[in-house]
Structures are given as C-alpha cells and as structure tokens.
C-alpha cells in the first residue's frame, strides 16, 4: 500500500526538476521525451517507459548527462510502480553512476529516496536506511526532510521496531512546515496511529481518526484507502461488523484510485470480516481473479522492461562494433564469447542436474518422514481419541503426549528444511544451527569459523549449510558420540572444513545407507571435494574443500 503513497514525493521532485530542466537548459526536449512525459502524465507507464529509454539513447549520443539521468530516474520510478524493485534498483544505480556537477540536488535526492524505498520493499533495511540518510544529507527542504523521516519510520515498522518508528514521528509531528501540508501531515498522523495500534496503545484510534478527518476534507482516494484499511484492521478482531464497513470503504477507494494491491488487501479483509458465507465466496473469487490478473500484468511489464533495455543495449553494442574497424579482433572476441558461453552452460547444466537430484532426494526424504513418522503418529492419535474416554484424566494426558510428539516431529522437519538466509546474517544462522545439536551429552566445538563465507556466492552458502546440517543430523541419529569438532581453514582459494566425532563409527560401505548420499552430490555441485574416514569404534571424520 505504501508504494503508491510514496510515489507522490518522487513525482513531485521530478516534476520540479523537469521544469528546471526545460527552462534553464537551452536545448529543447527531444520528441521522445516530450511523448514520454505526456504518456506518463496519463499513467500509461509501459508506453512511457519505452520513450524514456529512447530519449536516454538520444541524449547519450549527445553526451547530455543531465537528461540521461532524468530519463533513468523516470524509468526507475515506473519500474517501482510496477513492483519491479530489483529492476528499479538497477536503473537508479545506473543513474547515480552518472552523477556529476551538472546534476541538480533534486535529482540526487529523488534517486536516493527511490533506492531507499526499493530496499525497504526488498526487506534490505540496512541499505534502505543508508540511502535515506544520503537523501537527508543532501536536501535543505524542510518538508522533504519530514517526508524522508516518515519513510524511515515506515522502514522501522517493517522490522517491527514500532517504538523506534514512533520516536521519529514524535520529532516531526508538530513541525509547522509539515502541518501546513495537510496530506503529508495526515500521513504522519496516520502512521503514528497505526504503529501505536501495533503496540496496543489506547491513543492509536484518535491519531487514525484525526488523519482520516484531514484526508476526508482534502478527499484523495489514494490516501483515504490507507485510513479505511487500518481502521478495518483496528476493529477486525473485536468488532468484525464495524471492520467490514471500513473494509468496504477501503475497497471502494482502492477501486477509485486504481490501486490493485489495496484492492487485494481490502478483499482479504472483507473475506475475514464478512458473516455471509455467499459474500465470503464472492470476495474470495474476486481476490483470486484480481491477484492472477495483477501478477500476469506485472510479469508482462517486467518482461517488457527487460526487452526494452536489452534492445537498447543491443543497438549500442552494434554501433560500437560498427565503428570498430579491425574485423579479426571482433571475430576472435565473438569466438571467445561463444566458447566461454558453451563451457559455462555445460558446467551450469551439470551443476543444475546434480542440484536437481539432490533436491529430489531431499523431497523424497521429507515425504518419507511425513508418511512413516508424522502420518503414523497422527493416525494413532486419531484412533486413540476415537476409542478412548477422553474425560478420564489419564487418557487426556496420553492424548496430550501424542499431540506434543506430533508437534515436535513437525517442528523438526520444518527446522531441517527451512529457508536459509544468504545475507550478512548467514554465518550467525549457520552457527545457531550447529549449536542446536549441542546438549548435555554432546559437546560441539567450532574452530576458526568467523569470516569463512565472505567469498562464497548464494549457491555455495546454501550447499555448505545443508551439508553441515545433514552431517549433524546423521551424528544425532547414528553416532552416539560425546564430542563433535568442526574446524575451518580459510585461504585465498578455498575453505577446508574438517568434521570429526568420537562416536561408534561405521563401515565405509554403510555411509550412504545412513542418509549421507546427498552430502557428496551437494559438494560436487559447487566443484568441491569431500572424503569420508570411518571405521567401527574409531569415530567418524569428513574432510570437505569448498572453492572460494
């Protein structure tokens, strides 16, 4: 919902910049840019995107950096509207790379705010905050600073740091410049009210109602929908009938403002709060239809944007090649690219095949766990509940024990196959996973671990995490050891991981049977090596070499 509210600031900055661009610089707007501006004003974003890209190419040939930056910022803004945050980030970053003394401050502020919003939507909060801080450091406009701080508060709310978000809003709430801008002031009041609601504070409703009054007097559906939606959430649990009324208003405003994401959220609230089963089905069907249509439209936009960029890049490359007179060098370069691409694709295909096999076996393992363990427990529990007198205390205790066993099994299966973070928190998550296998009976020693993953890509991080997880699961199931050691040795080329325990060991021929078949395949898929060393009564050792 917040994306469309934020678009106001982006459009404002760029429109002001556009006027300056036209009045202060002697060259007239090229025809592509004129047409792009017209289409953009009519909210025909996909068509506008094409002509902005054409204008960028024209101004690139003229070495007119300011107009190039302007076109890129407009394109980034359109990608953001279509929820292509990754594409918008790339386009805005391309614009920033062109910044020089000719670029107005308004352009720079707009670029950094746009990146802040993109990273917020991508849940990359650290980078989002860093770009908002850059924008704050550049602008002297008090209203713009208030809006940026409001955005920072929203970012903190996405992390559920509501106290920190409210603290920021408290500082700007009574700023005269902000109060003089009713719709921006309403945003701040509304956000504060909603954050207070998340903290279950009684003053939340008064803030949201005050914001609603301002928005009603300035009638703007794109903002009213936010008030209606959050008021519906406020009453959702305690007074669903009142919540249904607010959700109906939210849906109507979202339709008037043509904001499909808000329409989906309102339909979801209508479904939850409606007491009429037929209406629930109607809202559900509308939601599915709108969601499918929206996803298809956005994917189409992303594909179209990618094609426009690709075609423009292709034209630029062709022009460069045309100017390049030494045909032999071009031929050799093209041949090298082809060979490299073929080798890369062959390697990639081989790795994908190995990863697919590993994924299939992992899924089979999960299926077997669900069937052999969890399903049997559920069946036995159902049978017990159907045949026993549950009013007896002893039978209740047995039933609770069965349910606790089912919960524990389900949690363990989920834990072994949950999503793996590959960002800055990767090593912390890996360390936590390993430490969960320590107990009063098993001592886990981790040596030289910090910083080993700095050069690994996302695929390598996932493979190493899953491999070590399978080794620890194998240890817990089969080893009967009291000490487990994991030692990491890092150099420029590779990371060596040595695993050892003092358990009962095994015949090498039985290692695969103990569920470690995926370990080899995972390591081979990233061009690593792995060796097993074990004998009955002499513990279990594994050496892995992971390329950096």
């Amino acid at each position: 919902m917040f994306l469309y509210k934020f678009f106001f600031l982006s459009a404002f900055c760029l429109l002001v910049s556009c006027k300056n661009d036209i009045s202060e610089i002697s060259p007239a707007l090229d025809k592509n840019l004129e047409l792009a501006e017209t289409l953009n004003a009519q909210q025909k974003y996909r068509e506008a995107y094409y002509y902005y890209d054409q204008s960028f190419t024209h101004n690139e040939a003229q070495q007119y950096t300011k107009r190039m930056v302007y076109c890129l910022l407009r394109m980034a803004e359109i990608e953001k509207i279509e929820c292509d945050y990754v594409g918008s980030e790339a386009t805005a970053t391309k614009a920033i790379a062109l910044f020089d003394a000719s670029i107005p401050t308004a352009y720079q502020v707009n670029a950094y705010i746009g990146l802040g919003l993109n990273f917020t939507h991508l849940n990359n909060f650290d980078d989002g905050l860093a770009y908002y801080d850059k924008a704050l450091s550049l602008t002297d406009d008090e209203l713009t600073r208030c809006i940026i701080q409001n955005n920072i508060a929203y970012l903190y709310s996405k992390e559920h740091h509501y106290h920190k978000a409210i603290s920021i809003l408290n500082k700007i709430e009574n700023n005269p410049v902000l109060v003089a801008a009713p719709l921006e002031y309403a945003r701040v009041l509304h956000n504060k009210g909603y954050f207070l609601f998340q903290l279950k504070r009684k003053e939340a409703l008064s803030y949201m109602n005050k914001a609603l009054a301002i928005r009603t007097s300035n009638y703007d559906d794109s903002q009213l929908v936010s008030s209606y939606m959050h008021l519906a959430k406020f009453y959702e649990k305690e007074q669903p009938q009142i919540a249904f009324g607010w959700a109906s208003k939210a849906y109507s405003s979202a339709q008037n403002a043509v904001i499909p994401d808000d329409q989906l959220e309102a339909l979801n609230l209508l479904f939850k709060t409606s007491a009429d089963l037929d209406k629930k089905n109607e809202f559900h069907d509308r939601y599915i239809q709108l969601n499918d249509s929206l996803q298809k439209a956005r994917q189409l936009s992303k594909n179209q944007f990618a094609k426009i960029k690709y075609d423009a890049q292709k034209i630029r490359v062709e022009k460069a090649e045309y100017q390049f007179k030494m045909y032999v060098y071009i031929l050799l370069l093209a041949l090298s690219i082809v060979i490299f691409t073929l080798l890369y694709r062959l390697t990639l295909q081989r790795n994908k095949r190995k990863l697919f096999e590993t994924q299939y076996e992992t899924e089979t393992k999960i299926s077997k766990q669900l069937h052999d363990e969890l399903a049997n427990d559920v069946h036995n529990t159902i049978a017990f509940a159907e045949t026993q007198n549950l009013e007896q205390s002893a039978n209740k205790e047995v039933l609770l024990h069965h349910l606790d066993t089912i919960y524990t099994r389900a949690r363990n299966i989920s834990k072994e196959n949950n999503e793996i973070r590959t960002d800055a928190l990767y090593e912390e998550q890996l360390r936590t996973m390993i430490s969960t296998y320590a107990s009063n009976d098993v001592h886990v020693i981790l040596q030289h671990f910090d910083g080993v993953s700095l050069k690994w890509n996302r695929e390598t991080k996932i493979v190493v995490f899953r491999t070590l997880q399978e080794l620890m699961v194998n240890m817990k199931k089969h080893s009967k050891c009291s000490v487990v050691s994991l030692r990491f040795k890092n150099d420029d080329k590779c990371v060596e991981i040595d695993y050892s325990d003092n358990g009962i060991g095994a015949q090498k021929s039985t290692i695969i049977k103990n569920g470690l078949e995926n370990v080899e395949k995972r390591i081979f898929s990233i061009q690593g090596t792995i060796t097993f060393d074990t004998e009955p009564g002499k513990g279990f050792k594994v050496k892995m070499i992971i390329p950096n």
Side-chain angles (χ1 to χ4, degrees):
M1 189 192 312
F2 184 75
L3 168 62
Y4 298 93
K5 316 297 184 294
F6 183 84
F7 174 65
F8 172 85
L9 174 63
S10 301
F12 174 79
C13 289
L14 280 174
L15 286 172
V16 172
S17 302
C18 180
K19 291 178 181 179
N20 293 337
D21 192 11
I22 294 172
S23 61
E24 293 176 5
I25 305 299
S26 55
L29 293 179
D30 58 274
K31 291 184 179 180
N32 285 315
L33 186 52
E34 285 183 341
L35 183 55
E37 291 285 82
T38 300
L39 292 168
N40 191 64
Q42 297 171 354
Q43 297 186 355
K44 296 179 180 179
Y45 298 122
R46 296 178 194 173
E47 294 93 331
Y49 187 95
Y50 171 80
Y51 288 105
Y52 281 127
D53 183 75
Q54 293 294 306
S55 178
F56 172 83
T57 301
H58 167 78
N59 287 289
E60 183 181 40
Q62 302 297 319
Q63 296 185 336
Y64 194 176
T65 306
K66 185 176 179 181
R67 291 274 174 86
M68 291 168 61
V69 169
Y70 177 81
C71 291
L72 288 172
L73 292 179
R74 282 293 203 186
M75 292 166 68
E77 196 165 41
I78 291 172
E79 287 169 321
K80 187 167 53 188
I81 292 171
E82 296 291 345
C83 295
D84 183 10
Y85 303 119
V86 174
S88 179
E89 174 197 342
T91 305
T93 302
K94 185 176 180 180
I96 290 172
L98 297 173
F99 283 359
D100 57 26
S102 70
I103 306 303
T105 301
Y107 286 32
Q108 299 177 49
V109 171
N110 175 272
Y112 293 137
I113 292 176
L115 282 172
L117 179 61
N118 285 327
F119 283 120
T120 300
H121 279 283
L122 292 170
N123 294 326
N124 187 346
F125 302 118
D126 289 340
D127 286 343
L129 185 60
Y131 280 108
Y132 282 142
D133 287 340
K134 281 189 176 183
L136 281 172
S137 70
L138 285 174
T139 182
D140 294 322
D141 181 77
E142 191 61 22
L143 178 59
T144 301
R145 293 181 65 84
C146 288
I147 295 172
I148 295 170
Q149 288 171 308
N150 187 33
N151 293 340
I152 292 173
Y154 173 77
L155 180 149
Y156 282 131
S157 75
K158 291 271 285 182
E159 296 182 281
H160 305 293
H161 296 162
Y162 296 111
H163 289 290
K164 190 178 289 187
I166 292 170
S167 176
I168 292 174
L169 297 184
N170 286 340
K171 296 176 182 178
I172 64 172
E173 178 182 348
N174 297 316
N175 188 310
V177 175
L178 178 66
V179 175
L183 291 178
E184 298 304 329
Y185 182 48
R187 279 193 187 94
V188 171
L189 294 176
H190 177 78
N191 283 347
K192 183 175 178 179
Y194 187 66
F195 300 160
L196 288 168
F197 163 61
Q198 296 297 325
L199 295 174
K200 304 187 184 306
R201 299 270 289 275
K202 61 182 180 181
E203 63 266 40
L205 185 59
S206 64
Y207 274 94
M208 288 196 283
N209 281 333
K210 187 174 180 181
L212 176 61
I214 296 172
R215 288 170 168 176
T216 302
S217 64
N218 289 272
Y219 198 80
D220 181 349
D221 277 308
S222 67
Q223 290 210 34
L224 281 169
V225 64
S226 177
S227 286
Y228 295 151
M229 200 86 72
H230 288 158
L231 284 167
K233 290 183 179 179
F234 182 88
Y235 291 105
E236 179 181 354
K237 293 183 179 178
E238 302 296 333
Q239 296 174 283
Q241 289 182 334
I242 295 177
F244 181 84
W246 288 117
S248 298
K249 288 187 174 184
Y251 183 60
S252 177
S253 290
Q255 286 182 306
N256 293 338
V258 194
I259 307 176
D261 289 286
D262 284 356
Q263 292 177 47
L264 288 173
E265 189 174 354
L267 284 170
N268 184 46
L269 283 169
L270 287 169
F271 174 84
K272 289 180 178 179
T273 56
S274 175
D276 187 328
L277 183 59
D278 291 335
K279 286 288 185 182
K280 277 184 175 290
N281 291 333
E282 179 185 346
F283 295 141
H284 176 267
D285 291 341
R286 274 197 235 169
Y287 182 96
I288 296 298
Q289 183 179 7
L290 178 59
N291 187 58
D292 289 344
S293 175
L294 181 60
Q295 296 306 318
K296 289 178 182 177
R298 284 179 174 164
Q299 188 58 52
L300 180 63
S301 294
K302 290 179 183 179
N303 293 341
Q304 180 178 336
F305 297 158
K307 186 177 186 304
I308 290 171
K309 288 181 178 179
Y310 172 80
D311 289 344
Q313 181 64 23
K314 183 179 178 181
I315 290 172
R316 284 190 283 270
V317 170
E318 288 176 350
K319 286 181 178 179
E321 289 179 348
Y322 179 78
Q323 295 170 354
F324 194 69
K325 297 180 180 181
M326 303 186 71
Y327 174 78
V328 175
Y329 287 166
I330 295 178
L331 182 62
L332 290 174
L333 177 61
L335 183 61
S336 298
I337 292 173
V338 169
I339 293 173
F340 174 79
T341 302
L342 289 174
L343 291 174
Y344 174 78
R345 293 185 65 179
L346 287 172
T347 302
L348 187 62
Q349 192 66 29
R350 183 178 64 180
N351 290 345
K352 282 185 177 180
R353 184 171 62 252
K354 290 177 180 177
L355 286 175
F356 176 80
E357 292 172 0
T358 302
Q359 180 182 0
Y360 175 78
E361 291 170 7
T362 300
E363 292 171 352
T364 302
K365 174 185 172 184
I366 296 171
S367 177
K368 189 174 187 303
Q369 285 180 298
L370 292 174
H371 181 272
D372 293 350
E373 299 175 10
L374 197 58
N376 287 339
D377 287 343
V378 173
H379 176 75
N380 292 335
T381 302
I382 293 172
F384 180 84
E386 290 176 343
T387 59
Q388 301 299 314
N389 182 4
L390 297 181
E391 293 183 358
Q392 294 181 6
S393 178
N395 288 339
K396 286 183 180 179
E397 290 296 324
V398 173
L399 179 61
L400 289 174
H401 176 73
H402 287 338
L403 291 174
D404 185 64
T405 300
I406 291 170
Y407 169 75
T408 301
R409 289 191 188 278
R411 184 184 62 184
N412 289 340
I413 292 172
S414 173
K415 181 178 169 184
E416 291 176 12
N417 299 278
N418 60 359
E419 182 180 358
I420 299 170
R421 298 190 65 160
T422 56
D423 56 10
L425 296 178
Y426 170 78
E427 290 188 4
E428 179 181 342
Q429 185 183 23
L430 180 57
R431 186 192 300 273
T432 300
M433 181 276 292
I434 293 171
S435 67
T436 59
Y437 291 89
S439 65
N440 292 334
D441 298 323
V442 180
H443 183 53
V444 178
I445 301 172
L446 198 59
Q447 296 178 289
H448 311 304
F449 174 73
D450 293 336
V452 297
S453 67
L454 293 177
K455 297 181 181 179
W456 290 346
N457 58 29
R458 181 176 183 276
E459 179 186 350
T460 299
K461 288 180 179 179
I462 292 174
V463 166
V464 172
F465 188 102
R466 289 299 184 205
T467 298
L468 293 179
Q469 188 177 49
E470 291 196 38
L471 287 176
M472 299 304 287
V473 169
N474 181 74
M475 174 275 295
K476 189 169 184 178
K477 289 182 177 179
H478 305 291
S479 176
K480 299 181 182 179
C481 67
S482 61
V483 178
V484 177
S485 172
L486 275 168
R487 184 175 63 83
F488 294 78
K489 183 180 179 182
N490 189 10
D491 59 35
D492 292 337
K493 295 182 179 180
C494 65
V495 174
E496 181 181 309
I497 305 175
D498 290 322
Y499 167 96
S500 64
D501 65 49
N502 65 346
I504 60 174
Q507 294 289 349
K508 288 187 178 181
S509 59
T510 66
I511 292 175
I512 300 303
K513 295 180 181 178
N514 283 346
L516 295 178
E517 60 270 28
N518 281 345
V519 169
E520 279 189 328
K521 291 179 180 178
R522 289 185 192 278
I523 297 300
F524 292 159
S525 71
I526 57 171
Q527 310 303 313
T529 62
I530 183 169
T531 55
F532 298 93
D533 183 12
T534 181
E535 289 181 17
K538 294 187 177 181
F540 182 64
K541 297 179 181 179
V542 182
K543 180 185 290 291
M544 292 170 282
I545 297 178
I546 311 299
N548 279 328

